[in-house]
Amino acid sequence: MSKPPVIAIDGPSGSGKGTLCKLLAQRMGYHLLDSGALYRLVALAAEHHGVSMENERALADIAAHLDVQFLTSADADKVVLEGEDVSLSIRTEAVGMNASRVAGLTLVRRALEARQRAFAEIPGLVADGRDMGTVIFPQACIKIFLTASAEERANRRYKQLKSKGLDASLADILVDIKQRDDRDQNRTVAPLRPAVDAVLLDCTHMSIAEVEHKVMTLIRNRGL
Ligand code: C5P
C-alpha cells in the first residue's frame, strides 16, 4: 500500500508556519501535526510533575507516556493534557522557552518520533516543525523552509499573543526569539536547518494569503 503524502513545513519560531499549516490542512483535507505542541506539552507536563528541565531520562519518560488529546471542532481546536485543557497555557513564552530546552535532548526527541510519524495517515499530512523534512519525514513529497527576519517574527508573535489576551512585551519576545533560534540552530541533535531538497521561502514581506497561494501552487504542481 502506498504511503500517505506528507507536506513538511519547517522554519524558525514565529515564521507563520502554524497559520500556514492550518490553512493548508483545511484546503487539502489533510491531517495536521503541530510537532512544537508536543515539545511544549513535555515541558508543561514536566512542570506539573516537578521534573527538572535537566533530567533527560525523566523528561524522555514523560515524552514517551504523554497523555494528550488533540480535539478539533468547527469553532476551536483544543489540546488536553492529563484531562486538563492546556490550549492556552502551552502557548506562553515561558513554556516555549522550556520546550526549546527539552527539544535539545536526544532521548526526548527519540521518545516523540513514533508518535509524530503516526500522524501520517490517509489522505495525507501537513507537518509543522523544525525537523519534519530532515528527520521525521525525510520522504515527504513537499518540503518548505519558511523563514522571516527575527524582528518581523517577534512582531507577529506579539500581535498573536495580544489577540489571545495574553500578556506580552515586544522587546522580551525579540530576545526570546533570538535565543530560541540560536538554540534550535546550534543543538547537536536535529538542528533547525532546511532539508537539501526543501524550497526556501522568506516571508518577511509577504502576507499569509501570498504565502498560502505560493505554497498551494507548489503543491498543485507536484500533482497533489
Ligand atoms: O513551534 P513551537 O514554537 O511551538 O515549538 C516550540 C519549541 O519546540 C521550539 O522552539 C523548538 O525548540 C522545539 N521544536 C523542535 N522540533 C520540532 C518542533 C518544535 O525542536 N519539530
Side-chain angles (χ1 to χ4, degrees):
M1 204 175 76
S2 68
K3 287 196 171 168
V6 175
I7 300 171
I9 317 274
D10 290 304
S13 296
S15 57
K17 294 180 301 311
T19 311
L20 174 66
C21 288
K22 258 190 209 155
L23 289 169
L24 294 178
Q26 273 167 10
R27 275 282 196 113
M28 304 290 295
Y30 280 13
H31 300 280
L32 175 66
L33 165 62
D34 172 3
S35 62
L38 293 173
Y39 293 96
R40 287 171 182 269
L41 285 160
V42 172
L44 190 65
E47 214 178 278
H48 287 175
H49 295 288
V51 170
S52 147
M53 297 298 148
E54 262 88 59
N55 189 341
E56 183 164 359
R57 284 202 178 279
L59 290 166
D61 195 51
I62 286 178
H65 301 102
L66 264 187
D67 169 12
V68 62
Q69 289 166 283
F70 293 96
L71 306 175
T72 44
S73 75
D75 16 284
D77 295 342
K78 264 194 200 165
V79 184
V80 178
L81 174 67
E82 296 166 5
E84 185 192 337
D85 182 354
V86 294
S87 318
L88 268 185
S89 51
I90 57 163
R91 298 293 160 200
T92 64
E93 291 306 292
V95 170
M97 193 50 83
N98 279 338
S100 125
R101 292 171 69 190
V102 303
L105 303 172
T106 308
L107 295 182
V108 171
R109 298 199 78 86
R110 206 177 289 154
L112 291 176
E113 276 184 9
R115 194 187 286 259
Q116 292 176 85
R117 293 193 179 118
F119 277 77
E121 285 191 348
I122 294 293
L125 175 70
V126 178
D128 165 355
R130 304 293 188 289
D131 61 342
M132 299 295 98
T134 49
V135 177
I136 304 296
F137 301 110
Q139 84 290 359
C141 49
I142 297 186
K143 300 179 186 179
I144 310 277
F145 193 85
L146 187 68
T147 188
S149 71
E151 289 70 22
E152 176 60 20
R153 289 186 280 126
N155 205 18
R156 289 180 192 169
R157 182 75 91 194
Y158 174 77
K159 287 187 186 153
Q160 192 185 42
L161 291 172
K162 282 286 184 192
S163 73
K164 285 185 180 156
L166 293 167
D167 200 21
S169 139
L170 182 57
D172 290 352
I173 291 173
L174 182 58
V175 172
D176 279 4
I177 278 204
K178 286 184 173 169
Q179 252 181 43
R180 228 188 293 175
D181 282 358
D182 184 57
R183 194 177 287 147
D184 289 352
Q185 284 159 2
N186 296 312
R187 65 183 176 218
T188 45
V189 51
L192 171 66
R193 69 162 72 108
V196 284
D197 48 351
V199 174
L200 304 186
L201 202 52
D202 183 334
C203 66
T204 306
H205 304 293
M206 288 169 85
S207 68
I208 184 66
E210 286 169 318
V211 177
E212 187 198 3
H213 178 73
K214 196 152 194 163
V215 176
M216 278 308 298
T217 306
L218 271 169
I219 292 173
R220 298 302 184 207
N221 286 347
R222 302 266 167 105
L224 291 180

